[in-house]
Amino acid sequence: MKVMIVGAGKLGYKLAESMVLEDIDVTVVDNNPKVIDFINEHLDVLTVLANGIDINILRELSINQYNLLVASTDSDETNTLVCSLAKKLRCEKTIARIRNPEYMQQLDFIKAEMGIDHIVNPDLSTAQAIEKYLLKNYNFYSGDFASGKVQMIDFNIEHMKEFVGKKIMELEDFDRLLITAISRDGDIIIPDGSTELLANDTIHVIGRNDDINNLNNKFTQDITKKEIERVMILGGSNIGLYLAQKLSKVNISVTLVEKDKERCQELSEILNDVLIIHGDGTDIHLLEEERLNSMGAFVGVTGYDEENLLMALMAKQSGVPKTISKISRQNYTKIIDRLGIDAALNPTVIAASNILKYIRGGKIVSVSLLIGGDGEVTEIIVGKDLPIVGKTLEELKLPKGIIIGAIVHNGKVIIPNGKSIIHANDRIVVFCLTEDLPTLKMFFKSNKGGVLSELWNRAKGIR
């Protein structure tokens, strides 16, 4: 598969990095020489210093031989035009990043008229993830799979006596749950039964929907038993706008704090049922005046990671049960576990997961990038010709960085052990460290053209 990425910002870089791991032939186009130099130093891709909107450049690069173009510049209009030009020059498929809320009501028209196959909006996707987290009321929400039958959550065990100091094999009522990974001091550990859990570890647990709910209710100390009724949002960004719209629709009382007066005016015209406060959201006295301690949740979505993290931490110390921060810098993911903030979501990682799911297509049902993009959970429908069919997990001898967390067989969810057998047409939920994706690809490769073989062969341009 040949992919051209126009615009090598955070999303473009993350996509290129993920695609290289899957042996996709990637070309990155950007008009910033510093960006191109950085990519040349870190990724094994073809780079072109040029303006992706230049039709002559697209022709010179033989865009008609590419399977996919992803337009991820900072301009919605540029992304739309690049996709339109690429499609007219016979690029097979195009994806555009579009953020402007005004365009969200016209997506079908834009896609049809401009030749765009898929549109991704990182801000909207992030707002949806936050909404789902708040309504699910989990300590941290990662994703659900198998049409909601299987769920994966992350939560920090802090000083919980049920976990700290115990080996995984010693945990009670964990027979139908699986800890797939542990985040510890910024590192990722793939555990086994003898792994000891330490204070402040964040554990990543997969299980049936009912069992995850029971775990959440039983072990999570700071969970709000009642539904969240009041939410304060710091920042009138597009994420703040989308989130406020969604929460107010389900009758949650929303207070939104924004320091730009003109933006407040814009928001007040759009958000009829939301209290808009013009003021500096980093002023804790202002937040206290607006009854911060009465909120069920606090969400920081300004354009500054430091503000979001600091104020989410302040809100937690003020007694707010749930605090969420939007972050953009990848290196901040290493400190989140230590801060005591319930969740930190990265729009780039969420958007990249959305695009990866689309380009893999076929029998790949869903993809979630976890742990700041260092891990991945993928749901796959098993083809009958795969070599894993009919074998127990013990016989497969999977590498340590690859874990089959759940098997859905004939509609029944199985949290597997070494004796579990994979059958044709089963849905399997696979956890894999990003660095082990090439191993996963080779491990599941079928010479008979099974589902995963078909997927990755297509990624190499084999038809």
Side-chain angles (χ1 to χ4, degrees):
M1 185 177 192
K2 292 187 68 176
V3 176
M4 181 181 295
I5 300 173
V6 177
K10 292 175 182 175
L11 178 57
Y13 183 89
K14 185 64 184 177
L15 284 173
E17 183 182 47
S18 299
M19 292 177 184
V20 165
L21 289 172
E22 299 188 29
D23 292 337
I24 295 176
D25 186 358
V26 179
T27 300
V28 176
V29 180
D30 198 284
N31 58 5
N32 187 328
K34 292 183 179 180
V35 169
I36 292 297
D37 288 343
F38 181 83
I39 291 177
N40 282 331
E41 291 175 3
H42 293 85
L43 298 178
D44 183 17
V45 300
L46 173 64
T47 57
V48 180
L49 178 61
N51 191 336
I53 208 170
D54 188 336
I55 194 168
N56 293 319
I57 293 294
L58 295 177
R59 284 192 174 121
E60 289 177 15
L61 294 174
S62 302
I63 189 63
N64 61 314
Q65 297 181 15
Y66 280 77
N67 304 104
L68 174 69
L69 177 140
V70 181
S72 58
T73 74
D74 291 334
S75 167
D76 291 352
E77 292 75 17
T78 298
N79 293 337
T80 302
L81 185 53
V82 168
C83 286
S84 180
L85 293 174
K87 208 58 180 290
K88 291 184 183 299
L89 293 174
R90 299 182 182 276
C91 179
E92 187 176 334
K93 290 185 180 296
T94 62
I95 298 176
R97 177 175 67 179
I98 296 180
R99 283 177 159 161
N100 193 328
E102 294 180 4
Y103 295 151
M104 291 302 102
Q105 307 300 322
Q106 311 167 54
L107 290 187
D108 290 340
F109 178 82
I110 293 172
K111 289 170 67 175
E113 293 299 317
M114 303 302 290
I116 301 173
D117 295 285
H118 185 63
I119 289 175
V120 60
N121 183 336
D123 299 331
L124 179 59
S125 297
T126 302
Q128 290 169 336
I130 295 172
E131 178 199 24
K132 185 178 287 188
Y133 159 79
L134 292 175
L135 297 183
K136 289 275 188 178
N137 207 20
Y138 286 146
N139 222 29
F140 182 92
Y141 178 82
S142 292
D144 53 29
F145 303 90
S147 303
K149 294 179 180 178
V150 177
Q151 296 188 11
M152 183 171 182
I153 63 168
D154 309 348
F155 63 94
N156 192 305
I157 62 175
E158 299 182 32
H159 301 288
M160 297 167 63
K161 62 181 181 180
E162 296 90 348
F163 292 95
V164 176
K166 291 188 176 181
K167 296 180 180 179
I168 290 178
M169 67 178 67
E170 298 171 345
L171 296 178
E172 298 179 1
D173 300 323
F174 252 70
D175 295 340
R176 295 184 296 182
L177 296 165
L178 182 65
I179 298 178
T180 59
I182 300 171
S183 298
R184 178 179 296 166
D185 295 331
D187 296 324
I188 306 302
I189 299 171
I190 304 300
D192 55 34
S194 63
T195 302
E196 182 178 346
L197 298 174
L198 305 181
N200 232 15
D201 280 354
T202 293
I203 61 175
H204 305 260
V205 185
I206 194 168
R208 293 190 317 153
N209 184 34
D210 291 344
D211 293 324
I212 289 292
N213 287 334
N214 291 336
L215 171 71
N216 188 62
N217 292 331
K218 181 175 181 179
F219 288 115
T220 306
Q221 291 183 336
D222 65 351
I223 189 171
T224 308
K225 295 300 181 182
K226 62 180 181 180
E227 293 184 358
I228 291 174
E229 298 176 353
R230 293 168 54 83
V231 175
M232 179 177 286
I233 300 173
L234 172 62
S237 62
N238 286 342
I239 298 176
L241 168 61
Y242 290 133
L243 181 60
Q245 286 177 323
K246 291 180 174 298
L247 295 180
S248 62
K249 283 182 180 178
V250 293
N251 298 318
I252 291 177
S253 175
V254 178
T255 299
L256 191 153
V257 182
E258 167 60 41
K259 62 182 177 181
D260 185 281
K261 190 173 183 179
E262 291 185 9
R263 181 59 173 169
C264 285
Q265 184 63 38
E266 294 174 5
L267 293 170
S268 65
E269 294 173 0
I270 301 172
L271 301 170
N272 298 322
D273 300 323
V274 174
L275 176 61
I276 310 294
I277 303 297
H278 173 228
D280 184 357
T282 62
D283 182 352
I284 189 63
H285 299 295
L286 171 65
L287 301 187
E288 288 174 347
E289 288 177 4
E290 298 303 329
R291 301 178 60 199
L292 173 63
N293 59 1
S294 71
M295 298 293 166
F298 176 93
V299 185
V301 290
T302 74
Y304 301 96
D305 289 358
E306 294 82 3
E307 284 187 9
N308 297 333
L309 291 168
L310 175 62
M311 299 316 297
L313 183 58
M314 294 287 284
K316 176 64 77 172
Q317 293 176 346
S318 297
V320 179
K322 297 295 176 186
T323 60
I324 308 169
S325 173
K326 188 260 319 185
I327 61 170
S328 298
R329 296 186 181 180
Q330 188 73 18
N331 54 337
Y332 280 175
T333 59
K334 303 296 184 183
I335 65 171
I336 299 304
D337 296 342
R338 308 177 195 178
L339 292 180
I341 296 171
D342 294 291
L345 302 181
N346 187 326
T348 298
V349 172
I350 292 172
S353 179
N354 185 321
I355 293 174
L356 288 174
K357 175 183 174 182
Y358 176 82
I359 66 172
R360 290 175 180 178
K363 299 289 187 174
I364 302 298
V365 182
S366 57
V367 178
S368 288
L369 294 178
L370 305 173
I371 325 172
D374 292 333
E376 180 176 305
V377 180
T378 306
E379 179 186 347
I380 303 167
I381 299 176
V382 178
K384 63 180 181 180
D385 293 323
L386 283 180
I388 63 175
V389 172
K391 293 185 178 180
T392 65
L393 297 192
E394 284 181 347
E395 293 173 323
L396 294 181
K397 292 183 171 59
L398 289 168
K400 189 173 183 180
I402 299 171
I403 296 175
I404 295 179
I407 302 171
V408 183
H409 178 67
N410 292 333
K412 181 180 179 182
V413 177
I414 302 168
I415 302 304
N417 55 35
K419 304 298 183 183
S420 301
I421 299 174
I422 297 176
H423 300 87
N425 299 318
D426 282 353
R427 288 175 179 246
I428 61 173
V429 181
V430 183
F431 174 87
C432 180
L433 290 180
T434 304
E435 63 189 35
D436 288 318
L437 278 174
T439 305
L440 176 67
K441 176 191 66 176
M442 296 304 299
F443 193 87
F444 284 94
K445 185 175 181 180
S446 169
N447 294 326
K448 296 182 180 181
V451 170
L452 289 180
S453 175
E454 174 189 341
L455 168 71
W456 277 301
N457 283 341
R458 190 174 62 205
K460 294 179 181 179
I462 301 172
R463 295 290 176 180

PDB file of all heavy atoms in Angstrom, residues 317-342:
ATOM      1  N   GLN A 317      -7.845  18.537  43.893  1.00  0.00           N
ATOM      2  CA  GLN A 317      -7.559  18.893  45.282  1.00  0.00           C
ATOM      3  C   GLN A 317      -8.709  19.654  45.926  1.00  0.00           C
ATOM      4  O   GLN A 317      -8.822  19.682  47.150  1.00  0.00           O
ATOM      5  CB  GLN A 317      -6.264  19.719  45.346  1.00  0.00           C
ATOM      6  CG  GLN A 317      -5.026  18.927  44.964  1.00  0.00           C
ATOM      7  CD  GLN A 317      -3.764  19.767  44.938  1.00  0.00           C
ATOM      8  OE1 GLN A 317      -3.829  20.991  44.958  1.00  0.00           O
ATOM      9  NE2 GLN A 317      -2.618  19.114  44.889  1.00  0.00           N
ATOM     10  N   SER A 318      -9.570  20.249  45.101  1.00  0.00           N
ATOM     11  CA  SER A 318     -10.744  20.962  45.619  1.00  0.00           C
ATOM     12  C   SER A 318     -11.923  20.033  45.851  1.00  0.00           C
ATOM     13  O   SER A 318     -13.004  20.484  46.230  1.00  0.00           O
ATOM     14  CB  SER A 318     -11.149  22.088  44.658  1.00  0.00           C
ATOM     15  OG  SER A 318     -10.132  23.054  44.543  1.00  0.00           O
ATOM     16  N   GLY A 319     -11.713  18.748  45.563  1.00  0.00           N
ATOM     17  CA  GLY A 319     -12.754  17.768  45.839  1.00  0.00           C
ATOM     18  C   GLY A 319     -13.590  17.349  44.649  1.00  0.00           C
ATOM     19  O   GLY A 319     -14.581  16.625  44.816  1.00  0.00           O
ATOM     20  N   VAL A 320     -13.222  17.763  43.433  1.00  0.00           N
ATOM     21  CA  VAL A 320     -13.967  17.334  42.250  1.00  0.00           C
ATOM     22  C   VAL A 320     -13.642  15.863  41.983  1.00  0.00           C
ATOM     23  O   VAL A 320     -12.465  15.501  41.829  1.00  0.00           O
ATOM     24  CB  VAL A 320     -13.609  18.193  41.015  1.00  0.00           C
ATOM     25  CG1 VAL A 320     -14.375  17.714  39.788  1.00  0.00           C
ATOM     26  CG2 VAL A 320     -13.902  19.665  41.290  1.00  0.00           C
ATOM     27  N   PRO A 321     -14.656  14.994  41.899  1.00  0.00           N
ATOM     28  CA  PRO A 321     -14.391  13.553  41.771  1.00  0.00           C
ATOM     29  C   PRO A 321     -13.666  13.157  40.483  1.00  0.00           C
ATOM     30  O   PRO A 321     -12.799  12.294  40.503  1.00  0.00           O
ATOM     31  CB  PRO A 321     -15.796  12.928  41.804  1.00  0.00           C
ATOM     32  CG  PRO A 321     -16.657  13.949  42.471  1.00  0.00           C
ATOM     33  CD  PRO A 321     -16.094  15.278  42.081  1.00  0.00           C
ATOM     34  N   LYS A 322     -14.019  13.790  39.359  1.00  0.00           N
ATOM     35  CA  LYS A 322     -13.447  13.409  38.071  1.00  0.00           C
ATOM     36  C   LYS A 322     -12.765  14.605  37.425  1.00  0.00           C
ATOM     37  O   LYS A 322     -13.383  15.655  37.245  1.00  0.00           O
ATOM     38  CB  LYS A 322     -14.526  12.878  37.132  1.00  0.00           C
ATOM     39  CG  LYS A 322     -15.210  11.612  37.619  1.00  0.00           C
ATOM     40  CD  LYS A 322     -14.234  10.460  37.682  1.00  0.00           C
ATOM     41  CE  LYS A 322     -14.889   9.210  38.257  1.00  0.00           C
ATOM     42  NZ  LYS A 322     -13.916   8.133  38.443  1.00  0.00           N
ATOM     43  N   THR A 323     -11.498  14.460  37.079  1.00  0.00           N
ATOM     44  CA  THR A 323     -10.775  15.533  36.397  1.00  0.00           C
ATOM     45  C   THR A 323     -10.111  14.991  35.146  1.00  0.00           C
ATOM     46  O   THR A 323      -9.476  13.936  35.168  1.00  0.00           O
ATOM     47  CB  THR A 323      -9.713  16.170  37.312  1.00  0.00           C
ATOM     48  OG1 THR A 323      -8.774  15.157  37.717  1.00  0.00           O
ATOM     49  CG2 THR A 323     -10.357  16.787  38.537  1.00  0.00           C
ATOM     50  N   ILE A 324     -10.276  15.734  34.059  1.00  0.00           N
ATOM     51  CA  ILE A 324      -9.779  15.305  32.751  1.00  0.00           C
ATOM     52  C   ILE A 324      -8.994  16.444  32.126  1.00  0.00           C
ATOM     53  O   ILE A 324      -9.385  17.609  32.220  1.00  0.00           O
ATOM     54  CB  ILE A 324     -10.937  14.919  31.809  1.00  0.00           C
ATOM     55  CG1 ILE A 324     -11.855  13.911  32.479  1.00  0.00           C
ATOM     56  CG2 ILE A 324     -10.416  14.367  30.500  1.00  0.00           C
ATOM     57  CD1 ILE A 324     -13.145  13.679  31.719  1.00  0.00           C
ATOM     58  N   SER A 325      -7.917  16.102  31.457  1.00  0.00           N
ATOM     59  CA  SER A 325      -7.097  17.112  30.797  1.00  0.00           C
ATOM     60  C   SER A 325      -6.836  16.714  29.356  1.00  0.00           C
ATOM     61  O   SER A 325      -6.535  15.550  29.069  1.00  0.00           O
ATOM     62  CB  SER A 325      -5.765  17.279  31.543  1.00  0.00           C
ATOM     63  OG  SER A 325      -4.890  18.122  30.833  1.00  0.00           O
ATOM     64  N   LYS A 326      -6.963  17.686  28.463  1.00  0.00           N
ATOM     65  CA  LYS A 326      -6.532  17.481  27.080  1.00  0.00           C
ATOM     66  C   LYS A 326      -5.054  17.806  26.994  1.00  0.00           C
ATOM     67  O   LYS A 326      -4.604  18.832  27.498  1.00  0.00           O
ATOM     68  CB  LYS A 326      -7.335  18.393  26.140  1.00  0.00           C
ATOM     69  CG  LYS A 326      -7.095  18.115  24.658  1.00  0.00           C
ATOM     70  CD  LYS A 326      -6.152  19.005  23.930  1.00  0.00           C
ATOM     71  CE  LYS A 326      -6.127  20.448  24.140  1.00  0.00           C
ATOM     72  NZ  LYS A 326      -5.222  21.223  23.284  1.00  0.00           N
ATOM     73  N   ILE A 327      -4.271  16.921  26.415  1.00  0.00           N
ATOM     74  CA  ILE A 327      -2.847  17.195  26.238  1.00  0.00           C
ATOM     75  C   ILE A 327      -2.467  16.985  24.777  1.00  0.00           C
ATOM     76  O   ILE A 327      -3.089  16.197  24.063  1.00  0.00           O
ATOM     77  CB  ILE A 327      -1.962  16.297  27.136  1.00  0.00           C
ATOM     78  CG1 ILE A 327      -2.175  14.809  26.805  1.00  0.00           C
ATOM     79  CG2 ILE A 327      -2.213  16.574  28.606  1.00  0.00           C
ATOM     80  CD1 ILE A 327      -1.173  13.898  27.484  1.00  0.00           C
ATOM     81  N   SER A 328      -1.449  17.703  24.349  1.00  0.00           N
ATOM     82  CA  SER A 328      -0.971  17.582  22.974  1.00  0.00           C
ATOM     83  C   SER A 328       0.462  17.074  22.908  1.00  0.00           C
ATOM     84  O   SER A 328       0.860  16.465  21.923  1.00  0.00           O
ATOM     85  CB  SER A 328      -1.064  18.946  22.267  1.00  0.00           C
ATOM     86  OG  SER A 328      -2.396  19.388  22.205  1.00  0.00           O
ATOM     87  N   ARG A 329       1.236  17.336  23.961  1.00  0.00           N
ATOM     88  CA  ARG A 329       2.638  16.928  23.955  1.00  0.00           C
ATOM     89  C   ARG A 329       2.785  15.487  24.391  1.00  0.00           C
ATOM     90  O   ARG A 329       2.357  15.107  25.472  1.00  0.00           O
ATOM     91  CB  ARG A 329       3.460  17.840  24.879  1.00  0.00           C
ATOM     92  CG  ARG A 329       3.501  19.280  24.409  1.00  0.00           C
ATOM     93  CD  ARG A 329       4.429  20.097  25.275  1.00  0.00           C
ATOM     94  NE  ARG A 329       4.458  21.490  24.861  1.00  0.00           N
ATOM     95  CZ  ARG A 329       5.194  22.428  25.444  1.00  0.00           C
ATOM     96  NH1 ARG A 329       5.952  22.116  26.483  1.00  0.00           N
ATOM     97  NH2 ARG A 329       5.172  23.671  25.008  1.00  0.00           N
ATOM     98  N   GLN A 330       3.419  14.719  23.540  1.00  0.00           N
ATOM     99  CA  GLN A 330       3.572  13.293  23.800  1.00  0.00           C
ATOM    100  C   GLN A 330       4.358  13.018  25.071  1.00  0.00           C
ATOM    101  O   GLN A 330       4.045  12.090  25.823  1.00  0.00           O
ATOM    102  CB  GLN A 330       4.280  12.634  22.600  1.00  0.00           C
ATOM    103  CG  GLN A 330       4.347  11.126  22.643  1.00  0.00           C
ATOM    104  CD  GLN A 330       3.001  10.482  22.358  1.00  0.00           C
ATOM    105  OE1 GLN A 330       2.107  11.122  21.821  1.00  0.00           O
ATOM    106  NE2 GLN A 330       2.867   9.220  22.712  1.00  0.00           N
ATOM    107  N   ASN A 331       5.363  13.860  25.367  1.00  0.00           N
ATOM    108  CA  ASN A 331       6.211  13.574  26.526  1.00  0.00           C
ATOM    109  C   ASN A 331       5.484  13.768  27.849  1.00  0.00           C
ATOM    110  O   ASN A 331       5.925  13.278  28.883  1.00  0.00           O
ATOM    111  CB  ASN A 331       7.476  14.445  26.494  1.00  0.00           C
ATOM    112  CG  ASN A 331       7.172  15.925  26.373  1.00  0.00           C
ATOM    113  OD1 ASN A 331       6.110  16.302  25.894  1.00  0.00           O
ATOM    114  ND2 ASN A 331       8.103  16.767  26.779  1.00  0.00           N
ATOM    115  N   TYR A 332       4.331  14.442  27.844  1.00  0.00           N
ATOM    116  CA  TYR A 332       3.592  14.626  29.088  1.00  0.00           C
ATOM    117  C   TYR A 332       2.881  13.344  29.526  1.00  0.00           C
ATOM    118  O   TYR A 332       2.482  13.224  30.687  1.00  0.00           O
ATOM    119  CB  TYR A 332       2.565  15.747  28.944  1.00  0.00           C
ATOM    120  CG  TYR A 332       3.156  17.139  29.067  1.00  0.00           C
ATOM    121  CD1 TYR A 332       2.374  18.270  28.856  1.00  0.00           C
ATOM    122  CD2 TYR A 332       4.493  17.329  29.394  1.00  0.00           C
ATOM    123  CE1 TYR A 332       2.912  19.545  28.967  1.00  0.00           C
ATOM    124  CE2 TYR A 332       5.033  18.588  29.499  1.00  0.00           C
ATOM    125  CZ  TYR A 332       4.250  19.699  29.291  1.00  0.00           C
ATOM    126  OH  TYR A 332       4.775  20.951  29.403  1.00  0.00           O
ATOM    127  N   THR A 333       2.694  12.419  28.603  1.00  0.00           N
ATOM    128  CA  THR A 333       1.995  11.182  28.964  1.00  0.00           C
ATOM    129  C   THR A 333       2.760  10.404  30.030  1.00  0.00           C
ATOM    130  O   THR A 333       2.167   9.606  30.762  1.00  0.00           O
ATOM    131  CB  THR A 333       1.800  10.279  27.740  1.00  0.00           C
ATOM    132  OG1 THR A 333       3.079   9.946  27.170  1.00  0.00           O
ATOM    133  CG2 THR A 333       0.957  10.982  26.682  1.00  0.00           C
ATOM    134  N   LYS A 334       4.061  10.640  30.125  1.00  0.00           N
ATOM    135  CA  LYS A 334       4.885   9.896  31.072  1.00  0.00           C
ATOM    136  C   LYS A 334       4.654  10.322  32.523  1.00  0.00           C
ATOM    137  O   LYS A 334       5.001   9.595  33.447  1.00  0.00           O
ATOM    138  CB  LYS A 334       6.371  10.076  30.729  1.00  0.00           C
ATOM    139  CG  LYS A 334       6.757   9.654  29.316  1.00  0.00           C
ATOM    140  CD  LYS A 334       6.551   8.173  29.070  1.00  0.00           C
ATOM    141  CE  LYS A 334       7.029   7.745  27.696  1.00  0.00           C
ATOM    142  NZ  LYS A 334       6.772   6.320  27.425  1.00  0.00           N
ATOM    143  N   ILE A 335       4.066  11.506  32.729  1.00  0.00           N
ATOM    144  CA  ILE A 335       3.899  11.992  34.106  1.00  0.00           C
ATOM    145  C   ILE A 335       2.454  11.966  34.576  1.00  0.00           C
ATOM    146  O   ILE A 335       2.190  12.240  35.749  1.00  0.00           O
ATOM    147  CB  ILE A 335       4.447  13.423  34.248  1.00  0.00           C
ATOM    148  CG1 ILE A 335       3.616  14.411  33.406  1.00  0.00           C
ATOM    149  CG2 ILE A 335       5.917  13.490  33.883  1.00  0.00           C
ATOM    150  CD1 ILE A 335       3.957  15.859  33.661  1.00  0.00           C
ATOM    151  N   ILE A 336       1.529  11.630  33.697  1.00  0.00           N
ATOM    152  CA  ILE A 336       0.112  11.696  34.052  1.00  0.00           C
ATOM    153  C   ILE A 336      -0.206  10.803  35.244  1.00  0.00           C
ATOM    154  O   ILE A 336      -0.930  11.192  36.161  1.00  0.00           O
ATOM    155  CB  ILE A 336      -0.768  11.304  32.846  1.00  0.00           C
ATOM    156  CG1 ILE A 336      -0.534  12.285  31.692  1.00  0.00           C
ATOM    157  CG2 ILE A 336      -2.234  11.290  33.232  1.00  0.00           C
ATOM    158  CD1 ILE A 336      -0.765  13.725  32.031  1.00  0.00           C
ATOM    159  N   ASP A 337       0.338   9.585  35.235  1.00  0.00           N
ATOM    160  CA  ASP A 337       0.026   8.634  36.301  1.00  0.00           C
ATOM    161  C   ASP A 337       0.405   9.162  37.682  1.00  0.00           C
ATOM    162  O   ASP A 337      -0.205   8.806  38.685  1.00  0.00           O
ATOM    163  CB  ASP A 337       0.750   7.303  36.058  1.00  0.00           C
ATOM    164  CG  ASP A 337       0.274   6.611  34.797  1.00  0.00           C
ATOM    165  OD1 ASP A 337      -0.811   6.966  34.317  1.00  0.00           O
ATOM    166  OD2 ASP A 337       0.999   5.737  34.291  1.00  0.00           O
ATOM    167  N   ARG A 338       1.403  10.025  37.740  1.00  0.00           N
ATOM    168  CA  ARG A 338       1.898  10.504  39.026  1.00  0.00           C
ATOM    169  C   ARG A 338       1.116  11.714  39.540  1.00  0.00           C
ATOM    170  O   ARG A 338       1.251  12.075  40.717  1.00  0.00           O
ATOM    171  CB  ARG A 338       3.377  10.891  38.901  1.00  0.00           C
ATOM    172  CG  ARG A 338       4.245   9.802  38.291  1.00  0.00           C
ATOM    173  CD  ARG A 338       5.678  10.265  38.137  1.00  0.00           C
ATOM    174  NE  ARG A 338       6.439   9.385  37.252  1.00  0.00           N
ATOM    175  CZ  ARG A 338       7.701   9.573  36.922  1.00  0.00           C
ATOM    176  NH1 ARG A 338       8.358  10.603  37.416  1.00  0.00           N
ATOM    177  NH2 ARG A 338       8.315   8.740  36.113  1.00  0.00           N
ATOM    178  N   LEU A 339       0.339  12.342  38.693  1.00  0.00           N
ATOM    179  CA  LEU A 339      -0.328  13.587  39.075  1.00  0.00           C
ATOM    180  C   LEU A 339      -1.651  13.376  39.795  1.00  0.00           C
ATOM    181  O   LEU A 339      -2.146  14.288  40.444  1.00  0.00           O
ATOM    182  CB  LEU A 339      -0.562  14.456  37.828  1.00  0.00           C
ATOM    183  CG  LEU A 339       0.683  15.027  37.150  1.00  0.00           C
ATOM    184  CD1 LEU A 339       0.292  15.858  35.935  1.00  0.00           C
ATOM    185  CD2 LEU A 339       1.501  15.863  38.124  1.00  0.00           C
ATOM    186  N   GLY A 340      -2.254  12.213  39.637  1.00  0.00           N
ATOM    187  CA  GLY A 340      -3.542  11.985  40.276  1.00  0.00           C
ATOM    188  C   GLY A 340      -4.716  12.459  39.455  1.00  0.00           C
ATOM    189  O   GLY A 340      -5.852  12.482  39.935  1.00  0.00           O
ATOM    190  N   ILE A 341      -4.469  12.859  38.198  1.00  0.00           N
ATOM    191  CA  ILE A 341      -5.558  13.243  37.295  1.00  0.00           C
ATOM    192  C   ILE A 341      -6.177  11.966  36.736  1.00  0.00           C
ATOM    193  O   ILE A 341      -5.473  11.003  36.428  1.00  0.00           O
ATOM    194  CB  ILE A 341      -5.011  14.128  36.155  1.00  0.00           C
ATOM    195  CG1 ILE A 341      -4.457  15.434  36.732  1.00  0.00           C
ATOM    196  CG2 ILE A 341      -6.083  14.428  35.122  1.00  0.00           C
ATOM    197  CD1 ILE A 341      -3.698  16.274  35.729  1.00  0.00           C
ATOM    198  N   ASP A 342      -7.498  11.960  36.599  1.00  0.00           N
ATOM    199  CA  ASP A 342      -8.179  10.726  36.202  1.00  0.00           C
ATOM    200  C   ASP A 342      -7.907  10.335  34.760  1.00  0.00           C
ATOM    201  O   ASP A 342      -7.787   9.156  34.448  1.00  0.00           O
ATOM    202  CB  ASP A 342      -9.689  10.881  36.419  1.00  0.00           C
ATOM    203  CG  ASP A 342     -10.030  11.008  37.894  1.00  0.00           C
ATOM    204  OD1 ASP A 342      -9.878  10.021  38.618  1.00  0.00           O
ATOM    205  OD2 ASP A 342     -10.412  12.104  38.324  1.00  0.00           O
TER     206      ASP A 342
END
